[in-house]
Amino acid sequence: MTKKKLTYNDAVSEIEEILQQIENEELDVDDLSAKVKRVSALIKTCKDKLHKTEEEVEKILKDIEE
């Protein structure tokens, strides 16, 4: 089975879903740690994607100026 690449929007949606579950107290204590770890990984993914996109945009803008 091919693993689908996680998009930025998918990651943000999953973070929002998990946060809503936490806020609504829908998670068991047993699941809470795993969900917090997942949110942490998703946030790192989002930060990496944003940083990469910023670098690409800066490079494009620099190329345009030349």
Side-chain angles (χ1 to χ4, degrees):
M1 183 168 87
T2 305
K3 190 173 184 180
K4 180 184 171 192
K5 187 164 179 134
L6 186 68
T7 67
Y8 179 85
N9 286 336
D10 290 341
V12 170
S13 293
E14 188 174 345
I15 291 168
E16 290 172 345
E17 181 181 320
I18 293 170
L19 290 177
Q20 185 176 20
Q21 291 173 345
I22 292 170
E23 289 172 355
N24 294 335
E25 299 178 8
E26 296 173 2
L27 294 175
D28 294 331
V29 172
D30 299 328
D31 296 332
L32 185 59
S33 177
K35 293 292 186 174
V36 170
K37 287 178 186 176
R38 177 65 178 158
V39 167
S40 177
L42 290 167
I43 289 171
K44 182 181 181 324
T45 298
C46 289
K47 287 174 71 175
D48 291 345
K49 287 181 182 284
L50 287 171
H51 184 69
K52 182 179 177 186
T53 300
E54 180 182 27
E55 288 176 347
E56 289 173 358
V57 169
E58 286 176 359
K59 182 182 181 306
I60 291 168
L61 292 175
K62 184 178 176 184
D63 289 345
I64 290 173
E65 291 175 357
E66 294 177 352

